[in-house]
Amino acid sequence: QVQLVESGGGLVPAGGSLRLSCTASGSIFSINSMTWSRQAPGKQRESVASISDGGEVNYADSVKGRFTISRDNAKNTVYLHMNGLVPEDTAVYYCNADILAVRSSTSRDYWGQGVQVTVSS
């Protein structure tokens, strides 16, 4: 069984910073890409940033220059460093990872439960 657990959300004023963490645990053989997404009330979920197992990163245009994704493979953890937060960043943030579980022949996506980020104006 594989589980992803996010942490680090909260309430911050505009211009503030937060760091989100997401740790994968369980019967993991390998982790491929890891991604942060977010869903604001009344909006569709959108991908914010992703990082491959080789460290290649991609960002949504709305967060480029403000957010940084990184990962610690030894800890099976992905981070999202968020600076210059604006009220439009308010959302539930989710991490997902493409994971090959032990005794599985193919990898699949696993999702965390989500963490609330609220930016006050």
Side-chain angles (χ1 to χ4, degrees):
Q1 186 176 0
V2 174
Q3 190 175 23
L4 270 65
V5 177
E6 300 111 330
S7 62
L11 171 65
V12 293
S17 299
L18 279 176
R19 188 186 78 162
L20 305 182
S21 301
C22 173
T23 298
S25 62
S27 302
I28 297 170
F29 182 81
S30 63
I31 302 177
N32 302 316
S33 61
M34 304 183 84
T35 302
W36 285 98
S37 303
R38 66 186 181 186
Q39 187 166 20
K43 295 188 177 181
Q44 289 189 328
R45 190 174 298 188
E46 62 172 346
S47 176
V48 173
S50 65
I51 184 167
S52 72
D53 54 350
E56 181 178 352
V57 299
N58 284 285
Y59 297 97
D61 288 342
S62 58
V63 306
K64 280 181 181 176
R66 300 188 299 122
F67 291 9
T68 302
I69 189 170
S70 62
R71 63 191 283 174
D72 184 335
N73 291 329
K75 297 181 179 180
N76 290 339
T77 298
V78 61
Y79 304 97
L80 187 66
H81 303 257
M82 305 184 292
N83 298 316
L85 286 162
V86 297
E88 291 73 25
D89 294 319
T90 296
V92 177
Y93 284 71
Y94 300 90
C95 78
N96 72 286
D98 182 34
I99 295 175
L100 178 62
V102 172
R103 290 187 293 277
S104 294
S105 58
T106 59
S107 64
R108 74 169 185 90
D109 261 354
Y110 291 84
W111 286 80
Q113 80 287 354
V115 61
Q116 178 70 46
V117 171
T118 303
V119 184
S120 61
S121 57

